[in-house]
Coordinates of all heavy atoms in Angstrom, one line a residue:
T55 N 1.5 3.8 16.5 CA 2.4 3.8 17.7 C 1.5 3.4 18.9 O 0.2 3.8 19.0 CB 2.7 5.3 17.9 OG1 3.5 5.8 16.8 CG2 3.6 5.4 19.2
C56 N 2.1 2.7 19.9 CA 1.3 2.2 21.1 C 1.8 2.9 22.3 O 3.0 3.4 22.3 CB 1.6 0.6 21.2 SG 3.2 0.1 21.7
A57 N 1.1 2.8 23.3 CA 1.5 3.5 24.6 C 2.6 2.7 25.3 O 3.4 3.2 26.1 CB 0.3 3.6 25.5
G58 N 2.5 1.5 25.2 CA 3.6 0.6 25.8 C 3.5 -0.9 25.2 O 2.5 -1.4 25.2
R59 N 4.7 -1.3 24.9 CA 4.8 -2.7 24.3 C 4.6 -3.8 25.4 O 5.2 -3.6 26.5 CB 6.1 -2.9 23.6 CG 6.3 -1.9 22.4 CD 7.7 -2.3 21.9 NE 7.9 -1.6 20.5 CZ 8.9 -1.8 19.8 NH1 9.9 -2.6 20.2 NH2 9.1 -1.0 18.7
T60 N 3.7 -4.8 25.2 CA 3.6 -5.8 26.0 C 4.3 -7.1 25.5 O 4.3 -7.3 24.3 CB 2.2 -6.1 26.3 OG1 1.4 -6.3 25.1 CG2 1.4 -4.9 27.2
D61 N 4.7 -7.8 26.4 CA 5.5 -9.2 26.0 C 4.5 -10.2 25.6 O 3.3 -10.1 25.9 CB 6.3 -9.6 27.2 CG 7.4 -8.8 27.5 OD1 7.9 -8.1 26.6 OD2 8.0 -8.8 28.7
A62 N 4.9 -11.3 25.1 CA 4.1 -12.4 24.8 C 3.4 -13.0 25.9 O 3.9 -13.1 27.0 CB 5.0 -13.5 24.1
G63 N 2.1 -13.2 25.7 CA 1.2 -13.8 26.8 C 0.6 -12.6 27.8 O -0.2 -13.1 28.6
V64 N 1.1 -11.4 27.7 CA 0.6 -10.4 28.6 C -0.6 -9.8 28.1 O -0.8 -9.6 26.8 CB 1.6 -9.3 28.8 CG1 1.0 -8.0 29.6 CG2 2.8 -9.9 29.5
H65 N -1.7 -9.5 28.9 CA -3.0 -8.9 28.4 C -3.1 -7.5 28.5 O -2.2 -6.9 29.2 CB -4.1 -9.6 29.2 CG -4.0 -11.2 29.5 ND1 -4.0 -12.1 28.4 CD2 -3.7 -11.8 30.6 CE1 -3.9 -13.3 28.9 NE2 -3.5 -13.1 30.2
A66 N -4.1 -6.9 28.0 CA -4.2 -5.5 28.3 C -5.9 -5.2 28.2 O -6.7 -5.8 27.4 CB -3.8 -4.8 27.0
R67 N -6.2 -4.4 29.1 CA -7.6 -3.8 29.2 C -7.7 -2.5 28.6 O -8.8 -2.2 28.1 CB -8.0 -3.8 30.6 CG -9.5 -3.5 30.8 CD -10.0 -3.4 32.3 NE -9.6 -2.3 32.8 CZ -10.0 -1.8 34.2 NH1 -10.7 -2.8 34.8 NH2 -9.7 -0.7 34.7
A68 N -6.5 -1.7 28.6 CA -6.6 -0.4 27.9 C -5.2 -0.1 27.4 O -4.5 0.8 28.0 CB -7.0 0.8 29.1
Q69 N -4.9 -0.5 26.2 CA -3.7 -0.2 25.5 C -4.2 0.9 24.6 O -5.3 0.8 23.9 CB -3.2 -1.3 24.7 CG -2.2 -1.2 23.6 CD -0.9 -0.7 24.1 OE1 -0.6 0.5 24.4 NE2 0.1 -1.7 24.2
Y70 N -3.4 1.9 24.4 CA -3.6 3.0 23.5 C -2.8 3.0 22.2 O -1.5 2.9 22.4 CB -3.6 4.4 24.1 CG -4.7 4.6 25.2 CD1 -4.9 3.9 26.3 CD2 -5.8 5.6 24.8 CE1 -5.9 4.2 27.2 CE2 -6.8 5.7 25.7 CZ -6.9 5.0 26.8 OH -7.9 5.3 27.8
V71 N -3.4 3.2 21.1 CA -2.6 3.2 19.8 C -2.9 4.6 19.1 O -4.1 5.1 19.1 CB -2.6 2.0 19.0 CG1 -2.2 0.8 19.8 CG2 -4.1 1.9 18.6
S72 N -2.0 5.2 18.4 CA -2.2 6.4 17.7 C -1.9 6.2 16.4 O -0.9 5.6 15.9 CB -1.4 7.6 18.3 OG -0.2 7.3 18.4
V73 N -2.6 6.7 15.4 CA -2.5 6.8 13.9 C -2.7 8.1 13.2 O -3.9 8.6 13.5 CB -3.4 5.7 13.3 CG1 -3.1 5.5 11.7 CG2 -3.2 4.3 13.9
P74 N -1.9 8.7 12.5 CA -2.2 9.9 11.8 C -3.3 9.8 10.7 O -3.1 8.8 10.1 CB -0.9 10.4 11.2 CG 0.3 9.5 12.1 CD -0.4 8.4 12.4
L75 N -4.1 10.7 10.7 CA -5.2 10.5 9.8 C -5.3 11.8 8.9 O -4.9 12.9 9.2 CB -6.6 10.6 10.4 CG -6.9 9.2 11.2 CD1 -8.3 9.3 11.7 CD2 -6.6 8.0 10.4
T76 N -5.9 11.8 7.6 CA -6.3 12.8 6.9 C -7.6 13.5 7.3 O -8.2 13.0 8.2 CB -6.4 12.4 5.4 OG1 -7.7 11.6 5.3 CG2 -5.3 11.5 4.9
A77 N -7.8 14.7 6.7 CA -9.1 15.4 7.2 C -10.3 14.6 6.8 O -11.3 14.5 7.6 CB -9.2 16.7 6.4
D78 N -10.4 13.8 5.5 CA -11.4 13.0 5.2 C -11.6 11.8 6.2 O -12.8 11.5 6.5 CB -11.2 12.5 3.9 CG -11.5 13.6 2.7 OD1 -12.0 14.6 3.1 OD2 -11.1 13.3 1.7
E79 N -10.5 11.3 6.7 CA -10.5 10.2 7.5 C -11.0 10.7 9.0 O -11.7 9.8 9.7 CB -9.2 9.5 7.7 CG -8.8 8.7 6.4 CD -7.4 8.4 6.3 OE1 -6.6 9.0 7.1 OE2 -7.1 7.6 5.4
L80 N -10.7 11.9 9.4 CA -11.1 12.4 10.5 C -12.7 12.6 10.7 O -13.3 12.6 11.7 CB -10.4 13.7 10.9 CG -9.0 13.7 11.3 CD1 -8.4 14.9 11.3 CD2 -8.7 13.0 12.7
A81 N -13.2 12.7 9.5 CA -14.8 12.9 9.5 C -15.4 11.6 9.5 O -16.7 11.5 9.8 CB -15.2 13.4 8.2
I82 N -14.7 10.3 9.7 CA -15.5 9.1 9.8 C -16.0 9.0 11.3 O -15.4 9.3 12.3 CB -14.4 7.8 9.8 CG1 -13.9 7.9 8.3 CG2 -15.1 6.5 10.1 CD1 -12.8 6.9 8.1
T83 N -17.2 8.6 11.4 CA -17.9 8.7 12.7 C -17.5 7.5 13.6 O -16.9 6.6 13.2 CB -19.4 8.5 12.6 OG1 -19.7 7.2 11.9 CG2 -20.0 9.6 11.5
R84 N -17.8 7.7 14.9 CA -17.3 6.8 15.8 C -18.1 5.4 15.7 O -17.4 4.4 15.7 CB -17.7 7.1 17.2 CG -17.4 6.2 18.4 CD -17.9 6.5 19.8 NE -17.7 5.7 20.8 CZ -18.5 4.7 21.0 NH1 -19.5 4.4 20.3 NH2 -18.1 3.8 22.0
S85 N -19.4 5.4 15.3 CA -20.1 4.3 15.0 C -19.5 3.4 13.8 O -19.5 2.2 13.8 CB -21.6 4.5 14.8 OG -21.9 5.3 13.7
R86 N -19.1 4.1 12.8 CA -18.5 3.5 11.6 C -17.2 2.8 12.0 O -16.9 1.8 11.7 CB -18.3 4.4 10.5 CG -17.9 3.7 9.1 CD -17.8 4.8 8.1 NE -17.2 4.1 7.0 CZ -16.6 4.9 5.9 NH1 -16.7 6.3 5.9 NH2 -16.1 4.3 4.8
W87 N -16.4 3.5 12.8 CA -15.1 2.9 13.3 C -15.4 1.7 14.1 O -14.8 0.7 13.8 CB -14.3 3.9 14.2 CG -13.5 5.0 13.4 CD1 -13.7 6.4 13.3 CD2 -12.4 4.7 12.7 NE1 -12.8 7.0 12.7 CE2 -11.9 6.0 12.2 CE3 -11.7 3.7 12.4 CZ2 -10.6 6.0 11.4 CZ3 -10.5 3.7 11.6 CH2 -10.0 4.8 11.2
M88 N -16.4 1.7 15.0 CA -16.6 0.6 15.8 C -17.1 -0.6 15.1 O -16.7 -1.7 15.4 CB -17.6 1.0 17.0 CG -16.9 2.1 18.0 SD -15.6 1.3 19.0 CE -16.4 0.4 20.1
R89 N -17.9 -0.4 14.2 CA -18.4 -1.4 13.3 C -17.3 -2.1 12.4 O -17.2 -3.3 12.4 CB -19.5 -0.9 12.4 CG -20.9 -0.6 13.1 CD -22.0 -0.5 12.0 NE -21.7 0.5 11.0 CZ -22.1 1.7 11.1 NH1 -22.8 2.2 12.2 NH2 -21.8 2.6 10.1
A90 N -16.5 -1.1 11.9 CA -15.4 -1.7 11.1 C -14.4 -2.4 11.8 O -14.0 -3.5 11.5 CB -14.7 -0.5 10.4
L91 N -14.0 -1.9 13.0 CA -12.9 -2.6 14.0 C -13.5 -4.0 14.5 O -12.8 -4.9 14.6 CB -12.7 -1.7 14.9 CG -11.7 -0.5 14.6 CD1 -11.5 0.6 15.5 CD2 -10.4 -0.9 14.0
S92 N -14.9 -4.0 14.8 CA -15.4 -5.2 15.3 C -15.4 -6.3 14.1 O -15.3 -7.5 14.5 CB -16.8 -4.9 15.8 OG -16.8 -4.0 16.8
A93 N -15.6 -5.8 13.0 CA -15.5 -6.8 11.8 C -14.2 -7.3 11.6 O -14.0 -8.4 11.1 CB -16.2 -6.2 10.7
L94 N -13.2 -6.3 11.5 CA -11.9 -6.6 11.1 C -10.7 -7.0 12.0 O -9.9 -7.7 11.6 CB -11.3 -5.3 10.4 CG -12.1 -4.8 9.2 CD1 -11.5 -3.4 8.6 CD2 -11.9 -5.9 8.0
L95 N -11.1 -6.8 13.4 CA -10.0 -7.3 14.3 C -10.4 -8.7 14.7 O -11.6 -9.1 14.6 CB -10.1 -6.4 15.5 CG -9.5 -5.0 15.5 CD1 -9.9 -4.1 16.7 CD2 -8.0 -5.1 15.3
P96 N -9.4 -9.5 15.1 CA -9.8 -10.9 15.5 C -10.5 -10.9 16.8 O -10.5 -9.9 17.5 CB -8.3 -11.5 15.6 CG -7.5 -10.3 15.9 CD -8.0 -9.2 15.1
D97 N -11.0 -12.1 17.2 CA -11.8 -12.1 18.4 C -11.0 -11.8 19.7 O -11.7 -11.6 20.7 CB -12.4 -13.6 18.5 CG -13.5 -13.9 17.5 OD1 -13.9 -12.9 16.8 OD2 -13.8 -15.0 17.1
D98 N -9.7 -11.9 19.7 CA -9.1 -11.8 20.9 C -8.5 -10.3 21.0 O -7.6 -10.0 21.8 CB -7.9 -12.8 21.1 CG -7.0 -13.0 19.8 OD1 -7.2 -12.3 18.8 OD2 -6.1 -13.9 19.9
V99 N -9.0 -9.4 20.1 CA -8.6 -7.9 20.2 C -10.0 -7.2 20.0 O -10.7 -7.5 19.2 CB -7.6 -7.5 19.2 CG1 -7.3 -6.1 19.4 CG2 -6.4 -8.4 19.1
A100 N -10.1 -6.2 20.9 CA -11.4 -5.4 20.8 C -11.1 -3.9 21.0 O -10.3 -3.5 21.8 CB -12.4 -5.9 21.9
A101 N -11.7 -3.0 20.1 CA -11.6 -1.6 20.4 C -12.6 -1.1 21.3 O -13.8 -1.4 21.1 CB -11.8 -0.9 19.1
G102 N -12.3 -0.5 22.4 CA -13.1 -0.1 23.5 C -13.6 1.3 23.3 O -14.7 1.8 23.7
E103 N -12.7 2.1 22.7 CA -13.1 3.5 22.4 C -12.4 4.2 21.3 O -11.3 3.7 21.0 CB -13.0 4.3 23.7 CG -13.7 5.7 23.6 CD -15.2 5.7 23.2 OE1 -15.4 5.7 22.0 OE2 -16.0 5.6 24.1
V104 N -12.9 5.2 20.7 CA -12.2 5.9 19.6 C -12.0 7.4 19.9 O -13.1 8.0 20.3 CB -12.9 5.7 18.2 CG1 -12.3 6.3 17.1 CG2 -13.3 4.2 18.0
F105 N -11.0 7.9 19.9 CA -10.7 9.3 20.1 C -10.0 10.1 19.0 O -9.4 9.3 18.1 CB -9.6 9.4 21.3 CG -10.2 8.8 22.6 CD1 -9.7 7.5 22.9 CD2 -11.0 9.3 23.5 CE1 -10.1 6.7 24.0 CE2 -11.4 8.7 24.7 CZ -11.0 7.4 24.9
H106 N -10.0 11.3 19.1 CA -9.3 12.2 18.1 C -8.3 12.9 19.1 O -8.5 13.3 20.1 CB -10.1 13.1 17.4 CG -10.8 12.5 16.3 ND1 -12.0 13.1 15.8 CD2 -10.7 11.3 15.6 CE1 -12.5 12.2 14.7 NE2 -11.8 11.2 14.7
A107 N -7.1 13.2 18.4 CA -6.1 14.1 19.2 C -5.5 15.0 18.0 O -5.6 14.8 16.8 CB -5.1 13.3 19.8
A108 N -4.8 16.1 18.4 CA -4.1 16.9 17.5 C -3.0 16.2 16.7 O -2.5 15.1 16.9 CB -3.3 18.1 18.2
P109 N -2.7 16.8 15.5 CA -1.5 16.3 14.7 C -0.3 16.2 15.4 O 0.0 17.1 16.4 CB -1.4 17.3 13.6 CG -2.7 18.1 13.6 CD -3.3 18.1 14.9

Side-chain angles (χ1 to χ4, degrees):
T55 303
C56 72
R59 295 181 177 183
T60 52
D61 292 338
V64 175
H65 315 292
R67 191 178 78 174
Q69 166 74 275
Y70 285 73
V71 299
S72 54
V73 179
L75 293 186
T76 66
D78 288 343
E79 291 164 350
L80 287 167
I82 298 172
T83 64
R84 178 186 181 278
S85 60
R86 188 178 170 202
W87 276 115
M88 294 297 286
R89 287 196 304 271
L91 292 167
S92 294
L94 295 170
L95 287 170
D97 290 344
D98 45 5
V99 183
E103 192 54 271
V104 183
F105 302 94
H106 286 162

